[in-house]
Amino acid sequence: MASHPEAGQRVDTGHGADADLAVEIKAKTSITDTITQLTLVPADGRDLPAWTPGSHIDLVLGPDLVRQYSLCGKPADTRSWQVSVLHQPDGRGGSAHVHQELSEGERIAVRGPRNNFRLVDAPRYLFIAGGIGITPILPMIESVDQAGAEWSLTYGGRSRGNMAYAVELHQTHGDGVTLVPEDTHGRIDLAGLLTDVTPGTAVYVCGPEGLLCAVEALAAELGILDQIHVERFTPKEQTDAPVRDNFEVEFARSGVTISVGPDESILEAARAVGVLAPFSCSEGTCGTCETTIVSGRADHRDSVLSPAEREENSTLMICISRAACPKLTLDL
């Protein structure tokens, strides 16, 4: 599905793609009144790194302003990338910067691609999108449709006019796409959708946190949580206290052992003693700081790993996760 990378080209590995890449904003297009699409091309004229459906990139908008946005174009296109950004006036500043400060022809740095929302092989797919959550779903639909798999999309938004790509999706795929504008149709009938999910169906969900939490809660009741795939760009609310306030971390490759206190992260404590690791969001949502566990048990606090991956205990996000034992040993 993705093109084969040329020699020396960075590959979408899922994490660790932290080097800056200079791109130019070839086009800045208003998709709706509140959503802007950026078309990015490589500043050096070379092919862009390969990516797969579900990938996102970091836009480096300033020294302390790095934001993650899903790639919503075609993975086979090695000459341009597309991301679409919802303007959130009360957000943390990233979307406002994109909408108000960036201009066509400007150069910015990006990092990635990185994929925490990988498309698994399945005989059937159910896609559920809310608002701007449609963006990572677009290349997934193209991929499964080309592969001949059975799929359907239910796409909700506040109003039809604010649902990006709704017209194109409905014109191209017809009955495979159900549009649910809240102002005329109410909210998505999640119970109706999930109750009918058959074994083997992969369910992909992206959108506001309320939608994700509702899907996860209902899927848990129905016993199909292992079929649910979600992606978050805001941290999942933590309802339980950390297992330990204080613990030690040994960095196996660096030969350094540190103490981590109750008010600091492993990442912060590591950087304080000169042990550097890639990071971006510092909230446990982007996956940049994912680090291999050599020994010990993690207290996972991220919004990336699935329940099965947490139980596997092979990696953790050091920007937010902690230790569930007196000492962790990490591959740093």
Side-chain angles (χ1 to χ4, degrees):
M1 287 175 265
S3 59
H4 293 288
E6 296 178 358
Q9 186 179 349
R10 285 188 284 125
V11 178
D12 169 20
T13 58
H15 52 268
D18 57 316
D20 284 4
L21 174 69
V23 297
E24 179 182 315
I25 301 172
K26 182 179 180 180
K28 183 179 180 182
T29 309
S30 293
I31 302 299
T32 73
D33 290 343
T34 57
I35 297 173
T36 291
Q37 178 180 282
L38 300 180
T39 298
L40 310 173
V41 297
D44 61 6
R46 300 173 62 189
D47 282 352
L48 289 165
W51 61 281
T52 52
S55 295
H56 69 266
I57 57 174
D58 301 344
L59 299 191
V60 184
L61 304 171
D64 298 309
L65 191 62
V66 181
R67 296 292 184 267
Q68 294 77 42
Y69 299 105
S70 297
L71 289 166
C72 58
K74 299 180 183 298
D77 182 3
T78 61
R79 305 301 300 167
S80 67
W81 283 341
Q82 284 79 39
V83 296
S84 289
V85 181
L86 172 67
H87 188 201
Q88 297 176 296
D90 299 327
R92 297 180 298 147
S95 69
H97 186 96
V98 169
H99 279 252
Q100 299 167 8
E101 305 295 334
L102 296 186
S103 303
E104 291 183 0
E106 186 174 348
R107 291 190 176 187
I108 60 173
V110 300
R111 297 170 187 156
R114 191 174 296 107
N115 198 338
N116 303 319
F117 198 39
R118 297 174 185 85
L119 188 61
V120 300
D121 290 330
R124 291 170 301 282
Y125 297 87
L126 169 62
F127 299 106
I128 304 173
I132 196 64
I134 190 62
T135 51
I137 302 296
L138 294 174
M140 291 185 176
I141 288 175
E142 181 180 3
S143 176
V144 301
D145 195 59
Q146 289 179 348
E150 180 183 339
W151 66 272
S152 65
L153 164 68
T154 297
Y155 175 19
R158 292 183 179 177
S159 68
R160 179 71 175 259
N162 283 319
M163 294 169 65
Y165 310 105
V167 173
E168 299 92 324
L169 281 164
H170 200 262
Q171 287 178 344
T172 302
H173 301 292
D175 292 342
V177 175
T178 301
L179 303 179
V180 189
E182 187 174 343
D183 60 346
T184 58
H185 291 66
R187 295 188 177 183
I188 295 173
D189 178 12
L190 295 178
L193 284 174
L194 297 181
T195 301
D196 292 337
V197 168
T198 55
T201 301
V203 182
Y204 279 80
V205 192
C206 191
E209 182 63 17
L211 172 66
L212 304 185
C213 289
V215 168
E216 289 176 326
L218 186 54
E221 291 179 15
L222 296 171
I224 59 169
L225 193 56
D226 60 339
Q227 294 175 242
I228 306 296
H229 306 264
V230 303
E231 180 167 50
R232 286 180 163 87
F233 285 104
T234 56
K236 188 174 183 179
E237 183 180 359
Q238 302 294 332
T239 57
D240 55 333
V243 175
R244 302 186 67 89
D245 289 334
N246 299 276
F247 55 92
E248 287 190 338
V249 177
E250 177 184 352
F251 300 109
R253 280 189 280 140
S254 302
V256 175
T257 299
I258 59 170
S259 294
V260 179
D263 298 321
E264 62 182 341
S265 67
I266 297 173
L267 175 64
E268 291 168 336
R271 293 179 66 83
V273 296
V275 177
L276 302 182
F279 71 99
S280 178
C281 71
S282 296
E283 295 180 322
T285 60
C286 72
T288 305
C289 68
E290 186 171 6
T291 301
T292 298
I293 299 170
V294 178
S295 65
R297 192 80 190 170
D299 175 14
H300 295 288
R301 321 292 295 179
D302 66 276
S303 303
V304 176
L305 298 178
S306 68
E309 288 170 329
R310 290 185 173 199
E311 185 62 30
E312 188 178 293
N313 195 55
S314 59
T315 66
L316 83 166
M317 309 300 159
I318 61 172
C319 71
I320 195 166
S321 295
R322 303 181 66 77
C325 59
K327 181 178 180 179
L328 276 176
T329 303
L330 303 179
D331 186 26
L332 277 178

